[in-house]
């Protein structure tokens, strides 16, 4: 409801902090998903605020597909060092053994094994009963339908037709054995809110978000950055330097860059205001089919 | 036609400032199925140019073979984000969407019209300041229109816009509009909305959404979006009484102890006297801690950490207020309940109640009446079915801090949760607390075994162990009691040790005394089960007719005879109390198995073989049998 004297961003921040505290107070083994992107960075910042002067009372989990941008990994480790949080990383060992990669196995199989299955493995191994994520309702149609405290059954599946009613700020955090909760503290933020908050709070992001000359190749209309020499190049294909930045960060072979000269937050925000495409467009896994996100979530994708 | 996006060509900081200074309006759409709620929201998103090129392309694709406006788009597809919704063409769950104009930011909850999903409408309403009640101009005011309006009033949404949609399908007829508005106003009168505007629109074609439509020259009100930009819904929660529910105790080290929470209403400042609701102990606020530095004052909506000047016992669920302005603190209140589960609500049932950060077992003690959503009349009822609204009294296991919902939604709204499935079953709004003197309904309420059992969340039973001395009855009974207790059940063991020394001290070992012994034990077991307990009786009880007597006394209480079948040689070898030795030596007469018979039961519910497994395994076996 309206909270008279707070600005829009202040009330969003307070709401998220309240949700994070509710998780810490109600669950036995919470964990926070840390994907190193801008939403995760905001989440991390909010978690530090929520529990100050205590340290964040739960670990941060990074599912490492082994195909992340190199800079992301370095950034992740530096943040853990700087803020002293408990970092857990998990990689699907079976996938590594079978050398599963986005080039030979296709984006959807690769994602199934190195992301979805890996996440399930990590959550089962840690016996986490609540996993906090940085998803927002404005990202995608099926996310717009999801509760803040989103119930998952024993196999991590979401039942979109049977969600628990969620009234006021009274969250039902009760679980039966084996069940778990996904919690989305920044559900009500928009992409613009995230950027303005990052600007207002001076939150550090990986430099991949800012325009720089980077080596890229063009694959079916998408610019892919050649981040290391594992990237197979077609005969005669030569990476060229272009001034690009990323709107979202993920696995480098699956993350499209955009041509842009926006090298600072104000420039990015201005560019975003004029943009006519959605941020998910840069994520190759979502563009497969209408309803693909909903399907992935039912299978246990975040 | 556009809501005009900001083009930040001036100083970015200035522009960002404007962004954050914009006020926020949270609203929902509701009304009957197919009235065009999702279409309207899709239209708003489209007109505010929030639909980006890549989304638009896939939308046009999907809109083939569907009702579309001039743009070739079925706007409901923009909001109905679930596969099942697009297949069936209806909304199932709330969608939260965001848009903004030059003047305001909006969060809109598009809720389902279908009666089956009323709970999702209530979810959407609970955080909204204003509601768009849609009506299909061809159909007028329907039952579901009334139900939703009633729920709006119950949840406390005070501002309503009646959107008479599909006006294109009634030829933009003024008379139709006027008739519907008059009928709705008459119905809504007792619901007490603060503002009620009406606007004729076509969501599909865009009439009276952003600007006045030429097709309704007779309409002299404000079009929808300009109205939403201007309507005043502000309610300054900071002006109210201080309510600070403690959410989390912040204890990084021995030198710091703070209480983290969000100010629900009012304001708190350093130096303020505060009172703890549960203990009524006073303290003074010494610091208001945030990561951005200490504050002098925190207002409603702010998430902070309070430090007090003294060591006081406070935990999650406690509430701080100013002295003299304390919340109610009671274990009984009257509330209105919206039921959201297939399984009806019955008086006497026990649930978990969550209000703010407080979670307690609670029982519906009285169902005063149900409210008919069509006529708003009160009718007598014995249960509350899915989607019904009733007025009830509720008793909690221990007192909680609360306010009347009308004065504070955040400290007066609660949910009821199923104790077994953990599903959210219903939502309630407190009308007033009941003090003992006022508590007539509670007194007249019929307390019986079912009610007591419900409160304990278990089926009362008598589990009667029979078997030779040393067969393992007591070990198994003890392990079972531990396990049940660990599961939150309430169990009690009756055995020779705690009965022979007290209640049956006067009884010897004659035939008559043995029968009397069993009779008394069976009667006590029955009383305990009637009080809601699971009673574990561990007596040798060697005679078939003694056990039959016990079963008869138990009457309609669930009676489980468990025969712990351990061969006499094994029992004698164990001889934990040295009794067999003494019996063999002739020191004890009439000892079962030696010089008195043991009649093995022929109709025991369960036989446990005491020589073949550890007591723990046998206790598990029994537990599994009981759970089956
Ligand atoms: N002609 C006309 N058709 C409309 C208008 N608004 C909606 N419709 C049509 O009415 C049908 C139902 O629209 P929806 O938006 O799905 O209705 P709803 O109220 O969201 O339905 P539920 O969410 O399932 O309760 C669709 O076929 C729309 O195209 C309108 O203003 N004029
Ligand atoms: Mg709809």
């Amino acid at each position: 409801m309206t909270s008279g004297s707070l600005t829009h961003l202040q009330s969003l921040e307070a709401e998220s902090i309240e949700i994070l505290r509710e998780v810490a107070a109600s669950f036995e083994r919470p964990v926070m998903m840390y994907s190193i992107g801008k939403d995760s960075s905001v989440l991390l910042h909010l978690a530090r605020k929520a529990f100050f002067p205590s340290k964040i009372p739960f670990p941060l989990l990074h599912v490492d597909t082994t195909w992340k941008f190199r800079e992301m990994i370095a950034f992740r480790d530096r943040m853990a060092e700087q803020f002293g949080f408990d970092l857990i990383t998990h990689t699907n060992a079976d996938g590594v053994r079978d050398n599963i990669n986005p080039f030979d196995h296709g984006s959807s199989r690769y994602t199934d094994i190195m992301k979805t299955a890996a996440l399930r493995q990590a959550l089962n191994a840690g016996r986490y009963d609540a996993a906090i994520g940085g998803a927002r309702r404005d990202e995608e149609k099926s996310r717009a339908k999801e509760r803040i405290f989103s119930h998952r059954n024993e196999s991590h599946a979401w039942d979109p037709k049977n969600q628990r009613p969620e009234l006021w700020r009274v969250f039902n955090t009760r679980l039966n054995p084996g069940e778990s909760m996904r919690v989305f503290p920044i559900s009500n933020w928009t992409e613009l809110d995230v950027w303005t908050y990052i600007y207002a709070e001076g939150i550090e992001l990986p430099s991949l978000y800012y325009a720089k000359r980077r080596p890229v190749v063009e694959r079916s209309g998408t610019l892919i950055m050649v981040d290391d020499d594992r990237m197979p190049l077609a005969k005669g294909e030569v990476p060229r330097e272009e001034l690009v930045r990323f709107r979202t960060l993920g696995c480098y072979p699956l993350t499209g860059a955009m041509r842009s000269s926006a090298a600072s937050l104000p420039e990015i925000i201005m560019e975003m205001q004029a943009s006519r495409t959605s941020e998910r467009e840069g994520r190759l896994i979502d563009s497969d089919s209408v309803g693909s996100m909903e399907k992935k979530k039912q299978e246990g994708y975040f | 036609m556009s809501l005009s996006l900001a083009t930040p060509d001036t100083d970015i900081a200035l522009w960002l400032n404007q962004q954050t200074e914009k006020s926020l309006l949270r609203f929902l759409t509701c009304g009957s199925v197919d009235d065009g709620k999702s279409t309207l929201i899709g239209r708003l998103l489209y007109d505010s140019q929030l639909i980006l090129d890549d989304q638009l392309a896939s939308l046009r694709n999907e809109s083939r073979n569907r009702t579309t406006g001039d743009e070739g788009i079925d706007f409901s597809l923009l909001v109905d984000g679930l596969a099942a919704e697009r297949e069936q063409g209806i909304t199932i769950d709330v969608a939260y969407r965001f848009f903004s104009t030059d003047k305001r930011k909006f969060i809109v909850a598009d809720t389902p019209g279908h009666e089956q999903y009323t709970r999702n409408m209530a979810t959407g309403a609970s955080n909204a300041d204003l509601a768009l009640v849609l009506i299909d101009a061809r159909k007028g005011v329907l039952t579901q229109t009334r139900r939703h309006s009633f729920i709006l009033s119950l949840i406390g949404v005070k501002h309503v816009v009646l959107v008479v949609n599909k006006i294109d399908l009634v030829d933009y007829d003024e008379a139709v509009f006027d008739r519907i508005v008059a009928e709705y106003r008459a119905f809504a009168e007792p619901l007490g909305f603060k503002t009620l505007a009406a606007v004729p629109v076509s969501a599909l074609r865009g009439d009276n959404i952003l600007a006045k439509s030429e097709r309704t020259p007779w309409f002299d009100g404000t079009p929808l979006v300009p109205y939403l930009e201007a309507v005043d819904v502000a309610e300054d929660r900071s002006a109210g009484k201080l309510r600070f529910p403690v959410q989390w105790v912040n204890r990084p080290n021995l030198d710091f102890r703070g209480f983290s929470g969000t100010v629900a209403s009012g304001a708190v400042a350093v130096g303020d006297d505060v009172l703890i609701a549960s203990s009524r102990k006073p303290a003074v606020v010494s610091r208001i801690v945030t990561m951005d530095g200490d504050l002098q004052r925190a207002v409603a909506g702010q998430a902070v950490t309070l430090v007090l000047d003294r060591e006081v016992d406070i935990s999650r669920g406690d509430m701080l207020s100013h002295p003299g302005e304390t919340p109610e603190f009671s274990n009984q209140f009257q509330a209105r309940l919206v039921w959201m589960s297939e399984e009806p609500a019955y008086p006497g049932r026990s649930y978990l109640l969550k209000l703010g950060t407080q979670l307690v077992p609670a029982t519906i003690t009285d169902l005063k009446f149900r409210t008919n959503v069509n006529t708003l009349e009160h009718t007598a009822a014995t249960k509350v079915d899915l989607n019904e609204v009733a007025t009830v009294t509720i008793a909690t296991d221990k007192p909680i801090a609360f306010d009347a919902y009308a004065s504070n939604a955040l400290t007066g709204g609660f949910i009821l949760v199923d104790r077994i499935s953990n599903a959210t079953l219903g939502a309630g709004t407190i009308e007033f607390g009941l003090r003992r003197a006022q508590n007539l309904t509670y007194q007249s309420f019929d307390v019986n075994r079912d009610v007591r059992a419900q409160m304990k969340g278990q089926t009362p039973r008598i589990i009667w162990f029979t078997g030779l001395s040393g067969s393992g009855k007591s070990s198994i009974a003890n392990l079972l009691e531990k396990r049940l207790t660990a599961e939150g059940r309430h169990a009690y063991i009756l055995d020779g040790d705690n009965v022979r020394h007290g209640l049956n001290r006067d009884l010897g070992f004659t035939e008559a005394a043995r029968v009397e012994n069993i009779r008394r034990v069976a009667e006590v077991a029955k009383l305990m089960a009637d009080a809601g307990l699971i009673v574990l009786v561990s007596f040798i009880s060697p005679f078939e007719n003694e056990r039959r007597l016990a079963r008869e006394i138990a009457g309609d209480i669930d009676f489980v005879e468990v025969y712990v079948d351990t061969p006499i040689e094994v029992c004698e070898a164990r001889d934990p109390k040295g009794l067999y030795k003494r019996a063999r030596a002739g020191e004890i007469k009439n000892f079962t198995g030696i010089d008195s018979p043991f009649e093995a039961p022929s109709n025991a519910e369960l036989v446990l073989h005491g020589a073949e497994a550890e007591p723990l395994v046998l206790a598990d076996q029994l537990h599994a049998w009981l759970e089956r």
Side-chain angles (χ1 to χ4, degrees), chain A residues 17-248:
Chain A
I17 289 176
E18 182 174 355
I19 294 162
L20 285 164
R21 287 171 174 169
E22 197 66 7
V23 175
S26 316
F27 293 91
E28 272 167 35
R29 297 180 63 86
V31 68
M32 186 159 113
M33 308 303 300
Y34 183 55
S35 71
I36 316 166
K38 63 178 196 310
D39 299 307
S40 279
S41 299
V42 165
L43 215 49
L44 169 60
H45 188 74
L46 290 165
R48 289 175 50 229
K49 285 196 166 191
F51 305 107
F52 178 87
S54 290
K55 291 204 160 165
I56 300 173
F58 40 71
L60 274 67
L61 171 67
H62 179 229
V63 173
D64 190 349
T65 58
T66 72
W67 290 92
K68 300 290 172 192
F69 290 92
R70 278 172 306 163
E71 191 205 323
M72 290 169 70
I73 304 299
F75 183 86
R76 174 195 75 189
D77 295 341
R78 190 159 60 73
M79 288 298 124
E81 177 80 32
Q82 187 172 334
F83 298 125
F85 57 79
D86 183 7
L87 176 71
I88 294 173
T89 63
H90 177 84
T91 301
N92 185 346
D94 300 340
V96 172
R97 188 197 57 219
D98 299 341
N99 188 26
I100 303 295
N101 65 73
F103 304 107
D104 301 326
H105 303 91
S107 75
S108 99
R109 202 136 164 255
Y110 161 78
T111 307
D112 276 352
I113 298 172
M114 298 309 282
K115 272 178 108 163
T116 313
L119 175 65
R120 261 200 310 259
Q121 285 173 353
L123 294 178
N124 288 338
R127 298 196 325 278
Y128 300 116
D129 51 359
I132 302 163
R136 305 186 319 267
R137 283 169 171 159
D138 81 328
E139 278 180 68
E140 197 266 343
K141 278 195 272 191
S142 72
R143 291 233 203 259
K145 293 269 164 186
E146 194 159 6
R147 300 284 188 259
I148 293 175
F149 282 72
S150 183
H151 180 264
R152 295 295 145 94
N153 68 12
E154 298 87 338
S155 40
H156 300 285
W158 182 48
D159 182 2
K161 284 200 277 182
N162 208 5
Q163 301 193 80
R164 289 175 175 177
E166 190 167 83
L167 289 101
W168 307 288
R169 305 273 186 79
V170 184
F171 302 110
N172 178 355
T173 56
R174 310 272 307 170
L175 294 174
N176 279 321
E179 298 174 347
S180 60
M181 203 68 89
R182 300 284 190 279
V183 186
F184 304 108
I186 58 168
S187 285
N188 288 330
W189 297 48
T190 63
E191 190 184 8
L192 181 61
D193 294 329
V194 166
W195 283 114
T196 19
Y197 187 72
I198 290 170
Y199 179 71
E201 297 281 305
I203 298 171
E204 187 182 350
L205 296 181
S207 73
L208 292 159
Y209 281 110
Y210 303 101
K212 212 177 103 179
R213 295 191 72 77
R214 298 185 166 96
V216 293
V217 293
E218 191 161 339
R219 297 268 165 96
S220 32
T222 307
L223 292 179
I224 303 293
M225 174 172 160
V226 183
D227 193 47
D228 60 35
D229 52 19
R230 290 181 296 172
M231 171 110 184
L233 296 176
K235 227 184 174 163
E237 193 179 34
V238 187
R240 55 169 196 271
E241 295 271 315
E242 287 218 38
L243 191 57
V244 295
R245 67 180 178 90
F246 295 88
R247 272 179 91 170
T248 60

Side-chain angles (χ1 to χ4, degrees), chain B residues 220-498:
Chain B
D220 54 8
T222 317
L224 188 59
V225 170
Y227 182 83
L228 293 176
E229 283 181 317
V231 61
D232 179 17
V233 298
E235 243 167 87
D236 190 3
R237 286 200 290 119
S238 320
K241 294 173 185 166
L242 170 67
R243 295 291 180 261
F244 185 82
V246 175
Q247 205 184 358
W248 189 72
V249 179
N250 197 334
R251 186 117 234 226
N253 54 56
L254 291 177
D255 301 325
F256 186 96
R257 186 171 146 91
F259 306 100
S260 300
T262 304
V263 183
S265 61
V268 60
V270 172
D272 278 5
D273 288 319
V274 289
L275 208 65
I276 300 143
S278 64
S279 63
R280 307 203 70 79
K281 292 232 167 75
V284 176
V285 176
S286 57
R287 287 178 65 192
I288 302 176
V289 177
T290 78
M291 195 171 87
D292 300 318
D294 279 15
L295 305 177
Q296 278 309 305
R297 184 168 181 269
V299 299
Q302 273 183 296
V304 295
T305 297
L306 302 184
V307 179
L308 303 178
D309 69 332
R310 66 200 78 170
E311 279 292 319
V312 272
D313 181 18
I314 300 181
S315 50
R316 173 176 161 85
D318 257 318
M319 199 183 300
L320 304 182
S321 68
H322 287 138
E325 297 192 333
T326 54
E328 297 228 32
F329 188 69
S330 162
N331 61 352
Q332 286 159 48
F333 53 79
Q334 178 164 318
R336 295 209 282 175
L337 196 62
V338 194
W339 201 246
M340 303 174 166
S341 161
E342 303 279 347
E343 170 70 18
Y346 292 98
R349 286 267 161 102
S350 170
Y351 305 97
L352 289 173
L353 178 146
K354 192 170 184 198
L355 185 151
T357 57
Q358 308 173 92
L359 181 75
V360 285
T363 307
I364 300 177
T365 44
D366 190 20
L367 203 177
K368 305 198 87 119
F369 54 83
R370 224 159 43 191
T371 303
N372 179 315
V373 295
N374 258 315
T375 59
L376 304 184
E377 275 166 8
H378 299 169
T379 53
T382 53
K383 59 176 182 159
V384 198
D385 283 311
L386 178 67
N387 298 325
E388 286 184 342
V389 177
T391 296
V392 298
T393 56
I394 286 184
T396 53
D397 275 18
K398 55 175 200 166
I400 56 170
F402 60 85
D403 292 287
Y405 186 83
S407 66
N408 196 332
L410 292 180
T411 53
F414 62 88
I415 59 169
L416 291 181
V417 174
D418 189 279
R419 299 185 71 156
I420 309 290
S421 73
N422 288 322
T424 304
L425 302 176
T429 57
I430 296 181
E431 293 190 313
F432 46 82
L434 294 168
R435 260 161 241 113
R436 242 168 233 124
Q438 299 174 313
N439 187 15
L440 296 171
T441 37
Y442 196 53
Q443 304 290 344
S444 66
F445 168 64
D446 208 7
V447 181
N448 56 29
R449 187 198 311 153
D450 287 346
V451 171
R452 292 184 287 254
Q454 272 292 338
M455 284 180 69
K456 297 186 171 60
Q458 64 186 25
T459 313
R461 311 183 125 122
I462 298 173
I463 301 169
W464 192 281
F465 293 85
T466 171
L468 294 169
S469 174
S471 60
K473 297 182 300 296
S474 297
S475 311
I476 300 170
N478 277 318
L479 289 164
L480 181 66
E481 184 190 30
K482 271 193 196 150
R483 171 123 188 224
L484 291 171
T485 307
E487 290 168 354
R489 306 290 168 74
H490 304 254
Y492 191 80
I493 297 181
L494 288 173
D495 65 15
D497 287 343
N498 59 14

